[in-house]
Amino acid sequence: MSINAYRTAIIQLIAQLRTRGQSGQYILYQVMPDELADPTLISWRAYATRSYADVVMIAAGLSSIDDPVPEGELLLPVGAVVAQIKRLYGVTG
């Protein structure tokens, strides 16, 4: 499967969580000042791994790792769901 299909699935999941998510299905993450330039740091703090930086970027609406993360809250899917989607689409890391 393609990386684009994986990213689309994450986008759709976040949209779904915004409209009808239940607690326990998402992390409402407050972006800290030291994280504005580093989505991998948010990934580390939210998921205990830097490999979910792509999810952080999607949630923040970033197109590049070099784009600044906007201040405020991010709605992030829980790690177990992200891992399941990565397996489904054959995404490693």
Side-chain angles (χ1 to χ4, degrees):
M1 303 256 176
S2 78
I3 193 75
N4 287 335
Y6 159 74
R7 288 184 179 142
T8 299
I10 295 292
I11 290 167
Q12 290 172 342
L13 174 61
I14 291 171
Q16 179 183 13
L17 290 173
R18 281 191 201 286
T19 59
R20 57 186 166 115
Q22 298 174 356
S23 64
Q25 295 179 331
Y26 62 86
I27 302 162
L28 195 55
Y29 189 87
Q30 180 65 42
V31 177
M32 306 304 274
D34 65 332
E35 300 167 332
L36 298 177
D38 190 358
T40 67
L41 183 55
I42 297 170
S43 174
W44 175 254
R45 290 177 176 166
Y47 297 111
T49 178
R50 292 187 184 264
S51 66
Y52 288 2
D54 57 343
V55 176
V56 172
M57 290 174 56
I58 291 167
L62 307 181
S63 59
S64 167
I65 193 82
D66 296 323
D67 291 344
V69 178
E71 291 187 52
E73 292 182 335
L74 293 178
L75 191 141
L76 302 170
V78 294
V81 176
V82 174
Q84 183 180 30
I85 293 172
K86 282 188 175 219
R87 279 191 303 275
L88 178 66
Y89 290 96
V91 174
T92 59

